Amino acid sequence: MKIAVSSTGTDLNSEVDPRFGRCAYFIIVNPDDMTFEAIENESMSLGGGAGIQSGQFIASTGATILITGNVGPNASRTLNAAGLNVIVGVSGPVREAIERYKRGELSPTNQASVPDHFGMGGGQSASPGGGMGQGMGRGMGMGRGMGQGMGRGMGQGMGMQGGFAPPQAPPPSSPDQELGALKEDAKALREHLNSILSRIKDLEGK
């Protein structure tokens, strides 16, 4: 069994990073002997799709359990489709988180714990409005939480539901930047759809 933990550093004494998709590192731990591997999260600086990309990466490591602080809706769907048990709301050193799991103190969930685009500003605040999304932009509320928040505001209501504060991140400053961001979202959506279809195929074949 392997356990993946979002981490701020490269060893077991590092703190659990509260962001999943945009954490600094992933530490993959064998809980039997506490051997581990630290891997830099290449998705942390993506303009969109970080949660999906990180979820797909964790699935590829062979880990069956993920311990983190927070998981957004898109990452949650990707991880669930891959069959991972996800444990959220965890803080403190990575080593302590593993020991708590081994003692049976941590339970998995299949629900997201934060809205789309949580932590995009690079901060680690748990405030739902702190850096979510890329501005409230066009098509607000159009998508019922589609994919990665297409249209930069279509995602989870983005400040319109649940009393969230309006996002603070500015919209793209030029058409080229906006086009690039939308292309990233479209790519992430395609990859997420492929992951779902693959999982459906696997389940139907059982």
Side-chain angles (χ1 to χ4, degrees), residues 4-6 16-21 65-73 75-77 79-80 84-92 97 100-101 105-114 118:
V5 187
S6 61
V16 174
D17 197 316
R19 304 160 300 171
F20 167 62
I65 297 159
L66 168 68
I67 297 176
T68 187
N70 296 287
V71 170
S76 178
R77 286 189 287 269
L79 292 162
N80 289 337
L84 273 86
N85 290 319
V86 182
I87 298 170
V88 299
V90 181
S91 59
R100 288 178 62 195
Y101 174 79
E105 297 176 7
L106 303 177
S107 300
T109 178
N110 61 357
Q111 300 294 322
S113 60
V114 291
F118 174 78

Side-chain angles (χ1 to χ4, degrees), residues 53-143:
Q53 296 283 358
S54 295
Q56 292 172 343
F57 171 75
I58 291 299
S60 75
T61 67
T64 55
I65 297 159
L66 168 68
I67 297 176
T68 187
N70 296 287
V71 170
N74 295 314
S76 178
R77 286 189 287 269
T78 301
L79 292 162
N80 289 337
L84 273 86
N85 290 319
V86 182
I87 298 170
V88 299
V90 181
S91 59
V94 172
R95 185 188 305 276
E96 180 180 310
I98 298 293
E99 294 296 339
R100 288 178 62 195
Y101 174 79
K102 290 165 68 174
R103 292 195 299 266
E105 297 176 7
L106 303 177
S107 300
T109 178
N110 61 357
Q111 300 294 322
S113 60
V114 291
D116 280 330
H117 301 297
F118 174 78
M120 277 194 70
Q124 297 183 10
S125 168
S127 169
M132 289 165 36
Q134 300 255 341
M136 297 183 61
R138 301 159 283 98
M140 193 180 308
M142 286 173 53

Side-chain angles (χ1 to χ4, degrees), residues 157-168:
M158 300 301 289
M160 299 297 291
Q161 301 174 11
F164 296 140
Q168 298 175 356

Side-chain angles (χ1 to χ4, degrees), residues 13-30:
N13 295 319
S14 303
E15 295 288 309
V16 174
D17 197 316
R19 304 160 300 171
F20 167 62
R22 300 180 187 283
C23 68
Y25 297 92
F26 292 113
I27 295 185
I28 312 300
V29 185
N30 181 336

Side-chain angles (χ1 to χ4, degrees), residues 56 183 185-195:
Q56 292 172 343
K183 284 182 176 180
D185 281 356
K187 178 182 177 182
L189 278 168
R190 285 193 297 269
E191 292 175 349
H192 184 44
L193 177 60
N194 288 337
S195 174

